[in-house]
Amino acid sequence: MRTLSFFNNKGGVGKTTLSTNVAHYFARQGKRVLYVDCDPQCNATQLMLTDDQLEEIYLGSGDDERAEHEALAKTVYAVFVPLREGETSIGEDLRPIRSERFGVDVLPGHPALSNIEDIMSDAWQSSLAKKTGDFRRIHWAGQLAVAMEDANRYDYIFFDVGRR
């Protein structure tokens, strides 16, 4: 399995447009693709999924705390919940959603990802001091790739990363 990340420090340069179209191209070539939207703006998620799918993810089935938790569990944010709470491994209860339009599975983004950026930045600084737990935290994408590779579900994982 291969992973591809689309990143640039500047916003508005076409990362999302490029990455969604390349993912779609790979899918049309018969490749099994997982698209991970790590941008808190969630533009790729909005582009790739239908309005009904977006409502199911973000509005859930109620206004209580449980409904909010269910909504977060349907997004890439679920990967970071254990890391946010001090664990060294990612959450593995991942539920990608099929984008029929693009022919790929999508791990939707979530605006709450902006809160994770500070935690991951702190972990990066601590990992430089050779704190192994923090080193494991900052390698969340590798953990995700291994989990998906073990399941033998995908040929490629695409990461759309925000500009921060």
Side-chain angles (χ1 to χ4, degrees):
M1 181 178 52
R2 305 263 188 214
T3 60
L4 298 153
S5 296
F6 292 78
F7 171 81
N8 193 311
N9 283 322
K10 184 178 179 326
V13 296
K15 294 182 301 288
T16 298
T17 302
L18 178 64
S19 62
T20 55
N21 283 297
V22 172
H24 175 64
Y25 174 80
F26 276 46
R28 291 200 48 163
Q29 302 306 309
K31 303 300 180 191
R32 298 169 298 162
V33 177
L34 173 64
Y35 189 97
V36 183
D37 188 358
C38 298
D39 190 336
Q41 291 181 346
C42 310
N43 291 327
T45 299
Q46 293 175 57
L47 175 66
M48 299 175 98
L49 300 180
T50 66
D51 289 343
D52 289 342
Q53 288 173 313
L54 294 172
E55 281 185 31
E56 182 183 324
I57 296 165
Y58 297 117
L59 298 181
S61 58
D63 294 330
D64 61 357
E65 188 174 315
R66 183 171 174 249
E68 183 178 337
H69 177 75
E70 290 267 331
L72 288 174
K74 296 175 185 173
T75 70
V76 70
Y77 192 85
V79 169
F80 293 99
V81 170
L83 302 177
R84 182 193 69 201
E85 295 172 358
E87 297 294 328
T88 59
S89 298
I90 64 168
E92 294 187 11
D93 181 23
L94 307 176
R95 304 177 215 162
I97 298 171
R98 187 73 180 165
S99 168
E100 295 302 330
R101 179 178 179 203
F102 282 76
V104 303
D105 287 351
V106 178
L107 197 51
H110 196 282
L113 287 171
S114 61
N115 301 330
I116 298 296
E117 292 171 344
D118 291 337
I119 294 168
M120 298 307 284
S121 178
D122 290 344
W124 176 256
Q125 291 300 318
S126 297
S127 72
L128 295 174
K130 300 189 184 333
K131 292 186 177 180
T132 57
D134 288 316
F135 186 78
R136 288 188 189 111
R137 275 185 204 96
I138 64 170
H139 286 90
W140 65 269
Q143 292 182 49
L144 176 60
V146 167
M148 293 294 115
E149 187 171 47
D150 287 347
N152 195 29
R153 293 174 60 185
Y154 302 104
D155 300 310
Y156 290 90
I157 299 178
F158 283 70
F159 291 93
D160 183 15
V161 183
R163 64 183 172 122
R164 288 184 71 175

